Amino acid sequence: MNYSEIMVRHGELSTKGKNRMRFINKLKRNIQDVLVPFPAITVRSDRDRTHVYLNGTDYQPVVEALKLVFGIQALSPVYKLEKDVPLLVLAVQNIMKSLYHEGLTFKIASKRSDHQFELDSCDLNRLLGGAVFEVLPNIQAQMKNPDITLKVEIREEAAYISYEEIKGAGGLPVGTSGKGMLMLSGGIDSPVAGYLALKRGLEIEAVHFASPPYTSPGALQKAQELTRRLTRFGGNIQFIEVPFTEIQEEIKNKAPEAYLMTLTRRFMMRITDAIRDQRKGLVIINGESLGQVASQTLESMQAINAVTTTPVIRPVVTMDKLEIIEMAQTIDTFDISIQPFEDCCTIFAPDRPKTNPKLSNVEKYEERFDVAGLVKRAVAGIVVTEITPEVINDDVENLIDDVL
Ligand code: ATP
Ligand code: MG
C-alpha cells in the first residue's frame, strides 16, 4: 500500500490573523517550486492544511524536500481510502503487520468529522483495534505513549490513515516578510546569512559581484550553486551578476592601497542598494561577522554603511566562525564554499588593509572617481538568472535504472 499524500501542517503563520490566506498561498507556491523535480505531484491548500498529492511519486524524497521548507510545522504521510469499513479494516491490518516487531505497542486514534458515517470514533477504535489483534495476537495496546499511534480520520470526502509525524523546519514562508538583496560571495558566511534571512520569511535575491577575467567562470558558477542550495528552503531565487571589473581596476589605479578594501565595499554597497531600489527590495543582507577580518571592524562597517540609509541585516554578525561553519555544514553549503575559486575581493587585496578607515579620507579619495557613473554602468550591466531547485539525485538514479 502506498501513501497517497503528505499532509502539511502550517507553522507560526496560524497566528497571523487576517494575513493568514496570504501566508498560506505563499507557502503553497514555495512548496510547488521546491517540488518541481517531482512532476507528478499536485498541491492544494486550505485554511488548516496543505495537501501534497503524491500521484504515485515515492514519498521519501518528497518528505526530505519538504522538511527544509520554511513555514512548515509538521508533515504526515497519509493513506487516503474510500469510507468503507471492510476496506479500512484491511488497510489497518496491513499497515500494522508491516510495522510489527516483538514488544510493539499501539493505539488507534479515530476521529469522525463526517457525522453521516455509520460508526463513531469510539466504535471505530474498538473495531479497528480488534481487527489488529486478529492478525497480530501478540501486539500490545497501550493508551499512554504507545510506539505507534494510528490515526484514522473520517472526513466528508474520504478516510485518511497516518501514523508518522515528522517535524518541519519552522520559520516563516519565504516571501511573507518582503524582499531583500543578499550580497552573496562564494564564501562560507554569506550563504549562512541568506539561510537565516529566508528562515524569517524574507524573499532574497542574490547579488554577486564578478570581475572577469580576474575572477573565473568557476567562481561565478560556485555562487550560483550556493544560490541553488538556498532554493531548498523556499523556492526559486533570482541571481544577479554584477560586472565589477571596471570599478576594481579604477580603485586599484587611483586609490591608496590601504583604502582599497573600504572603497571596494562602499561601491558594492551602493550598487546593491541601487539594484534593491530598482527591484523593490526593502533591505540588504550580508555575511559580515564582527571582527572577522579588516573590513568587519565597527569602524569599517561604519565607513562602508555610510553610503546608504537602507537597513542592512547581518544575520551572522555575532556568530563565531566555528558556529557559522557548523551551520554551513548543516545546510549543505560548506562543501561548495570551500572550493578554491578566488573572490573579486581577494584578487587585489592589500597585505595590510585599514582596520579603522576615516570617513573623511574615504570621501576625499572618492573625489578621484566618477562614482555615480561607475555605479550606473555596473547596474546597467547586471545579468539576472532565475535559479531553481536541483533535480534530486535519487530521481536521476531511478531514471538511469529505468533506462538500463
Ligand atoms: P563570505 O564568507 O560571505 O565571503 P567573508 O568572511 O569572506 O564572507 P568578506 O569577504 O569580507 O567576508 O565579505 C563580507 C561580506 O561582503 C560577505 O559576507 C558578502 O555579504 C559581501 N561580499 C563579499 N564579496 C562579495 C561578492 N563578490 N559578491 C557579493 N557580495 C560579496
Ligand atoms: Mg569572502
Side-chain angles (χ1 to χ4, degrees), residues 188 192 323-335:
I188 296 167
V192 173
E323 291 174 317
I324 301 173
I325 287 175
E326 221 171 274
M327 195 169 274
Q329 282 165 333
T330 312
I331 65 168
D332 245 2
T333 54
F334 185 72
D335 291 350

Side-chain angles (χ1 to χ4, degrees), residues 75-90:
L75 307 162
S76 290
V78 300
Y79 300 99
K80 185 179 181 182
L81 286 90
E82 259 176 66
K83 292 185 291 183
D84 173 68
V85 174
L87 257 184
L88 278 170
V89 165
L90 204 62

